[in-house]
Amino acid sequence: MLSGLGRLIHRRRWTSLALILTMMCVAGVWGLGVFSKFKEGGFEDPDASSTLVAKLGATYFGSTNPDVLVLYSSDTMTVDDPRYQASVVTTIARLPKANVEEIISYWSFDGKAAETFASRDRRSTFVAVKLHGDDGAAQIENYHAIKDRLAAPGLTVEFGGSVPLGEEFGKQVVNDIIRAELMTALPLLILLIILFGALTASFLPLIVAVFSMIGGLAVLHVVTYTTDVTSFALEVVTMMGVGLAIDYSLFIISRFREELGRGMAAQGIAAGKPWKQERDRKSRKAAKRAYREALRPIRQSALSATMATAGRTIVVSGITVSAALAGLLLFPQMFLRTIGLAGIATVMVAVFGATVLLPTLLAILGPRVEFGRMPWRRPTAKRAQRDPNSGFWYRLGQSVMKHPLPYFTIVIVILGVMFVPFLNVQFGSVDARVLPKESPTRAVVETIKADFPNGSAEPIDVVVSGDLIPRDWTPSGNDPIPPYLDDFRKKLGSLPGVSEAQFTGYSGTYGGVRISVTHKYEPMDQRAQDLVTEIRGMHLAKDGYPMHIDVGGSTAAQMDLMSSLMESLPKMALVVGVATFILLFMFFGSIVLPLKAIAMNVLSIGASFGAIVWGFQYGHLAGILDFTPTGGVEATSMILILAVVFGLSMDYEVFLLSRIREEWDLTHDNRAAVARGMQHTGSIITSAALLFLVVIGAFSTAGITVVKLIGVGMFVAVVVDAVLVRSLLVPATMRFMGAANWWLPGFLAGLHARMDLRERSSVLGPPVPAVPPRLPDEQPYPYAIHWEEAPGEPRPAPRGAASAGGHGRPEAAPGAFDARPAAPNGAPGQSFGGVPTPPGAYRPSSAAGPESAHVPPARPRRDANEAFRPAAQPPVNDLPGGEPPKLVFRTPPSEDRPSEEPWNPWADGPPQPDPAPPPARRTKRAIIPNPDGTGWRWGEVEDDTP
């Protein structure tokens, strides 16, 4: 199928290019609209109790996290100064009601309640502002409408809160992407020039990368109409779009150059511009036209073969990576679902760019893909003349094959040491500390936590609701708090570690009240989590009717998040594991290789997780990467890394094993297949990993800590996978298992035949000559026999053929069947249908061409079966009169018998009956060692049981 796609693209290359350019223009205009559709947050479980409390607070009780937090401060005045009060109150009183729904300040309360709004030195205070608007875009618009009007005379003003925090977060994401692209553009180009050795070939992956980014943004914009999309998706589109597009392009271009060079060498067509050697202009023009005509079928065949091999591998790899990312869709968190959708869209666009856009460009360029060739790429360079079986990767593969146990042990120890820190992992939530240290929004949050009473306290919000709590009710002098609710508040205040419990919200239209429980623990402290668990286990009833108790706040939200992730993670592992196993089973035709690939990927992921904990939770990378350690790692980011790294690791696994499988099909030698597969793909996989590392490394310098964490985790995983797992651990394990790598039970063989993903194309190699049916080993005939024309009846030549004339023995028609044995060991230089004849292969009769008339007849072989060779008979219509030649059955000539001796099969006596067959052996299935001494397999052994 893909080989046919390659031929179609070659025939319609200009049409394909025009359609793709039109598509890119439309997608580019459409994709720009996604920047205004991003939503912030999305880390919570929408069905969790803490999420319900947060929604009730925003809708009915008033959010404890204000939309805008305005911090006023003075170097000379305190909040008790009338001038301070006049400046602040006058400023906030003038805010338009069309933009502002509610304002709470220090002067909104009396007594102790107001003290939480003043700093300990009483020189600073904050004002909480709630904005109108049902979505983030409307709130941001209202925020900008009042931002310039919040400046108070004589006071310093700073802005914080959820709306300014979300806006700064989104801007920081865009800035990180722009900086990453600027940082990676030149290094990527330099590396591509070094790897490809030609300027034109080096620019092609960058074109595909741009196409992947534009297409990914366009698809992401479509997704925003069905679900919310987090701004983190933009990072994933950029990172994976550029990385995968360059990786895939590397494989396509490398294979196309290999196939094109092989085809040109076979036809004797020189590279470059040979027509320039002609003397006059007319000759050069004619030679150029002839060169292009001769090159067209070679270019088409090379593109077809490239699509049938590297293109097929890329399609399977893209499906495998998408299957890994699809596991994120099983999580309820908006953050993970949209990342999964964005990742799948980006992978599919990258696959389309590598299998449609890039082949279109290659079909147009042809040999001009080598334009701007570097010195080390020229045919006269030592690197180009190097024996492919003497390269570094071939020698490394042979070394691993000879000493698999040391390599296996060393790699396992290294991966184990890297995984150890993950055993002490602590998960935390996202807060303002993920922003850069110089962030003004982060500065407001940290100032309030450090300088204000209860600033660092994050209360536990408890919402009590039920039908017996009346609507439109608030406590007053004539309508006091019901005793059962006040008793419950006092019970909450008496819990261990609780400093205060007070009513902070009353329902207007919702039957419920909110009680904020302030405690002295850090939000992620185990004692705070125990306190949430204890409150959730409490019961409240009135007149025998139970009340609903929902618990929220940062501690409860983090607990619900972890519970949701742990519930969904096994489902993801099962779905992704089964999907990956089925895909690799269809691709490789083995049940061992898919299981081994999954195990290898788990090792890579474990090592990267350990590096993340060591660098971010322990803070060892804080100085290098300039971030503030929080004592934990964000849980959803780890799930994201799990999915992306699993897909990338499987990507490299498919690239490596596909070539090893190709060599195994040719040789059925496990050691040779692994060594040669590593030689063909080792440098390409390493180059692809190096290019991907450049892209990921730029994101490690992002201003947002979560993005740094994702970048570092993926960086470590790719290094471990390319250097340790694919280069050493995979070949070592394949050496241990030997031929068992390709084991496929008989009952699955038929299933695999129907699901086989391997390409069936004639472009993969020359046609294999048909083998005649095997005759019985014991022939009743004393000599090998063949068909030839009867003597005295010369056969007329076919129409249009020159007469052989004058010879005692008539010439056979071209391609006539001749069972005479071939020249011993296959005479060099002879060919059949343009394909060099290997030793011992079947060849047409010497009468098939004038060149073979000089080949002396060979002695017949002892085995009668080797005397028969297939050859096509000429159609009857090509003979004069349309009648077939008259044939007789004769023995082939030999030294001790005249060539015209009649056929006498019983010259030495009648055939004797076959001896009685020996008794059949009894066998049984047992586990036996492999012939090469590596691993074990099921086989048949003699059954000695009496």
Side-chain angles (χ1 to χ4, degrees):
M1 181 180 70
L2 288 176
S3 60
L5 177 61
R7 291 189 292 270
L8 176 63
I9 291 175
H10 184 270
R11 290 195 302 268
R12 300 288 185 264
R13 50 190 178 275
W14 292 108
T15 303
S16 175
L17 182 62
L19 292 175
I20 292 174
L21 290 177
T22 303
M23 184 190 307
M24 285 184 65
C25 294
V26 174
V29 175
W30 171 256
L32 292 176
V34 75
F35 291 94
S36 61
K37 299 293 185 68
F38 288 133
K39 305 291 184 181
E40 301 306 324
F43 297 94
E44 69 281 350
D45 182 357
D47 298 326
S49 173
S50 58
T51 305
L52 175 62
V53 172
K55 291 180 178 179
L56 292 175
T59 306
Y60 300 105
F61 305 131
S63 176
T64 55
N65 186 18
D67 297 330
V68 181
L69 201 62
V70 188
L71 179 64
Y72 293 103
S73 58
S74 173
D75 295 334
T76 58
M77 297 183 292
T78 65
V79 293
D80 303 314
D81 193 316
R83 295 173 297 173
Y84 200 120
Q85 178 181 359
S87 178
V88 175
V89 172
T90 303
T91 299
I92 61 178
R94 294 177 178 177
L95 296 177
K97 294 183 179 179
N99 307 111
V100 178
E101 181 178 343
E102 184 182 19
I103 301 175
I104 303 176
S105 68
Y106 171 81
W107 297 276
S108 302
F109 302 93
D110 294 327
K112 185 177 180 181
E115 296 303 321
T116 58
F117 285 80
S119 62
R120 293 185 178 90
D121 61 3
R122 307 191 67 79
R123 295 183 184 275
S124 300
T125 186
F126 64 87
V127 176
V129 180
K130 184 178 181 181
L131 301 171
H132 284 297
D134 297 331
D135 55 16
Q139 290 180 336
I140 290 177
E141 183 179 354
N142 290 326
Y143 167 63
H144 284 288
I146 67 171
K147 182 178 181 180
D148 295 335
R149 307 180 66 170
L150 287 171
L155 300 176
T156 303
V157 60
E158 297 175 274
F159 302 99
S162 60
V163 173
L165 181 65
E167 184 183 31
E168 183 179 355
F169 192 93
K171 290 181 178 179
Q172 187 65 49
V173 168
V174 176
N175 293 336
D176 290 342
I177 292 175
I178 294 176
R179 183 174 64 253
E181 296 301 325
L182 294 177
M183 289 177 59
T184 58
L186 184 59
L188 280 177
L189 180 58
I190 294 174
L191 283 175
L192 287 171
I193 293 175
I194 295 174
L195 295 174
F196 283 119
L199 291 177
T200 303
S202 304
F203 278 102
L204 295 181
L206 298 180
I207 296 175
V208 179
V210 173
F211 173 82
S212 299
M213 289 179 56
I214 293 175
L217 291 177
V219 176
L220 198 61
H221 192 185
V222 175
V223 174
T224 60
Y225 285 88
T226 60
T227 183
D228 293 336
V229 176
T230 177
S231 57
F232 268 105
L234 192 60
E235 302 269 5
V236 174
V237 167
T238 305
M239 186 184 304
M240 297 196 65
V242 175
L244 290 178
I246 292 177
D247 282 3
Y248 293 161
S249 301
L250 186 65
F251 279 84
I252 290 287
I253 296 174
S254 299
R255 191 62 183 248
F256 177 76
R257 295 165 84 180
E258 179 183 340
E259 297 292 341
L260 186 63
R262 183 183 296 115
M264 293 176 65
Q267 298 297 326
I269 299 178
K273 300 178 180 179
W275 61 84
K276 288 190 174 182
Q277 299 176 2
E278 300 296 332
R279 296 181 179 179
D280 56 280
R281 181 178 180 182
K282 184 177 181 180
S283 300
R284 285 195 297 269
K285 189 174 182 180
K288 183 177 181 179
R289 187 182 304 110
Y291 178 83
R292 290 181 175 178
E293 290 297 326
L295 192 62
R296 182 178 291 111
I298 298 175
R299 182 174 56 194
Q300 176 176 327
S301 178
L303 190 62
S304 181
T306 299
M307 294 295 292
T309 52
R312 171 179 52 88
T313 302
I314 286 173
V315 171
V316 174
S317 172
I319 296 175
T320 307
V321 176
S322 298
L325 293 173
L328 297 177
L329 303 180
L330 301 176
F331 291 88
Q333 288 75 17
M334 182 265 288
F335 172 80
L336 294 176
R337 291 201 321 271
T338 56
I339 291 293
L341 291 173
I344 294 173
T346 303
V347 172
M348 291 295 99
V349 173
V351 171
F352 180 85
T355 56
V356 178
L357 172 58
L358 186 57
T360 300
L361 298 176
L362 293 175
I364 294 173
L365 291 172
R368 287 173 291 184
V369 73
E370 301 287 357
F371 177 78
R373 182 178 295 174
M374 298 293 109
W376 57 85
R377 177 67 185 172
R378 294 171 184 168
T380 56
K382 293 183 178 179
R383 181 179 178 181
Q385 298 176 353
R386 188 172 54 195
D387 182 7
N389 289 337
S390 63
F392 168 77
W393 291 104
Y394 184 84
R395 296 195 303 270
L396 178 62
Q398 291 288 6
S399 177
V400 176
M401 293 295 100
K402 293 179 181 179
H403 312 286
L405 184 58
Y407 282 104
F408 179 86
T409 304
I410 293 173
V411 173
I412 290 296
V413 170
I414 294 175
L415 296 179
V417 171
M418 295 182 67
F419 176 76
V420 167
F422 185 69
L423 299 176
N424 299 320
V425 64
Q426 296 291 331
F427 295 105
S429 58
V430 175
D431 54 30
R433 289 176 292 179
V434 301
L435 292 172
K437 295 179 180 179
E438 61 275 10
S439 166
T441 307
R442 173 181 171 177
V444 172
V445 175
E446 291 181 340
T447 298
I448 293 176
K449 285 187 175 183
D451 299 340
F452 285 73
N454 297 328
S456 60
E458 297 189 23
I460 300 172
D461 293 329
V462 182
V463 174
V464 180
S465 59
D467 293 336
L468 298 183
I469 298 179
R471 269 67 169 172
D472 301 321
W473 169 82
T474 56
S476 62
N478 297 327
D479 192 9
I481 299 174
Y484 72 93
L485 289 178
D486 195 51
D487 291 342
F488 183 70
R489 179 191 65 79
K490 293 178 181 179
K491 185 177 181 181
L492 292 174
S494 64
L495 293 175
V498 175
S499 56
E500 184 181 22
Q502 57 181 350
F503 291 101
T504 57
Y506 307 93
S507 169
T509 58
Y510 180 81
V513 296
R514 183 178 64 192
I515 305 174
S516 294
V517 180
T518 306
H519 56 87
K520 58 183 180 181
Y521 307 126
E522 289 294 326
M524 292 299 103
D525 192 288
Q526 184 59 46
R527 292 171 292 182
Q529 298 183 38
D530 294 340
L531 186 59
V532 170
T533 303
E534 185 173 359
I535 295 175
R536 284 179 168 173
M538 298 175 68
H539 300 279
L540 176 63
K542 179 187 178 183
D543 300 332
Y545 293 95
M547 298 288 181
H548 297 286
I549 300 176
D550 296 294
V551 182
S554 59
T555 304
Q558 183 64 25
M559 293 174 63
D560 290 340
L561 173 63
M562 293 305 304
S563 176
S564 175
L565 294 179
M566 292 300 103
E567 181 181 353
S568 302
L569 187 60
K571 301 177 185 177
M572 173 190 176
L574 178 62
V575 171
V576 173
V578 171
T580 302
F581 179 86
I582 293 175
L583 285 170
L584 296 185
F585 166 75
M586 295 167 63
F587 191 41
F588 296 122
S590 168
I591 64 171
V592 176
L593 291 181
L595 296 176
K596 182 184 67 64
I598 294 173
M600 297 295 104
N601 291 357
V602 171
L603 293 176
S604 298
I605 293 171
S608 64
F609 279 6
I612 289 173
V613 172
W614 179 84
F616 287 86
Q617 179 177 314
Y618 296 170
H620 293 295
L621 297 178
I624 299 175
L625 300 180
D626 191 24
F627 66 88
T628 302
T630 60
V633 293
E634 206 282 312
T636 54
S637 300
M638 302 293 281
I639 299 295
L640 172 61
I641 294 173
L642 172 65
V644 174
V645 169
F646 186 89
L648 291 176
S649 300
M650 195 61 67
D651 189 33
Y652 296 139
E653 182 83 7
V654 170
F655 288 151
L656 174 61
L657 293 184
S658 63
R659 197 58 184 258
I660 294 178
R661 174 75 200 203
E662 188 175 334
E663 297 294 335
W664 166 262
D665 290 337
L666 293 175
T667 64
H668 285 276
D669 185 338
N670 184 67
R671 295 181 60 173
V674 173
R676 293 174 185 172
M678 289 183 62
Q679 173 61 22
H680 286 292
T681 61
S683 59
I684 299 178
I685 291 177
T686 304
S687 301
L690 181 61
L691 294 169
F692 202 91
L693 289 177
V694 173
V695 177
I696 298 174
F699 286 94
S700 300
T701 64
I704 301 176
T705 304
V706 175
V707 179
K708 293 177 186 285
L709 184 147
I710 295 173
V712 170
M714 294 175 63
F715 187 96
V716 173
V718 172
V719 171
V720 169
D721 194 81
V723 176
L724 296 178
V725 176
R726 304 302 153 206
S727 301
L728 302 176
L729 192 58
V730 169
T733 53
M734 295 190 74
R735 175 69 173 87
F736 286 143
M737 291 185 289
N741 287 301
W742 319 100
W743 179 56
L744 182 64
F747 67 93
L748 291 177
L751 177 63
H752 177 260
R754 293 189 294 270
M755 304 168 61
D756 196 354
L757 289 180
R758 288 178 292 177
E759 188 79 8
R760 305 300 182 189
S761 174
S762 60
V763 301
L764 299 180
V768 179
V771 178
R774 177 77 179 178
L775 296 177
D777 291 335
E778 297 187 6
Q779 292 283 352
Y781 314 111
Y783 306 105
I785 58 177
H786 69 284
W787 289 99
E788 68 175 24
E789 295 179 7
E793 298 181 8
R795 175 180 172 181
R799 297 187 185 100
S803 175
H807 295 283
R809 184 180 181 277
E811 294 292 334
F817 187 95
D818 186 0
R820 284 173 294 177
N825 300 327
Q830 297 181 7
S831 63
F832 176 49
V835 181
T837 305
Y842 294 102
R843 297 190 298 277
S845 171
S846 60
E851 296 180 0
S852 60
H854 302 288
V855 179
R859 294 176 60 88
R861 301 190 178 184
R862 295 183 179 180
D863 186 359
N865 294 298
E866 296 184 6
F868 291 85
R869 298 190 302 275
Q873 298 290 342
V876 174
N877 295 332
D878 291 344
L879 301 175
E883 296 182 0
K886 297 181 180 180
L887 303 177
V888 297
F889 220 21
R890 291 190 180 278
T891 58
S894 63
E895 296 180 356
D896 55 353
R897 185 175 63 254
S899 60
E900 300 300 327
E901 180 181 350
W903 177 54
N904 186 6
W906 290 350
D908 298 332
Q912 299 298 323
D914 294 337
R921 293 190 310 163
R922 296 174 55 187
T923 60
K924 64 179 180 180
R925 290 182 58 82
I927 299 177
I928 60 176
N930 289 325
D932 58 359
T934 60
W936 301 81
R937 62 183 176 87
W938 285 98
E940 300 288 340
V941 298
E942 188 172 353
D943 188 3
D944 298 331
T945 305

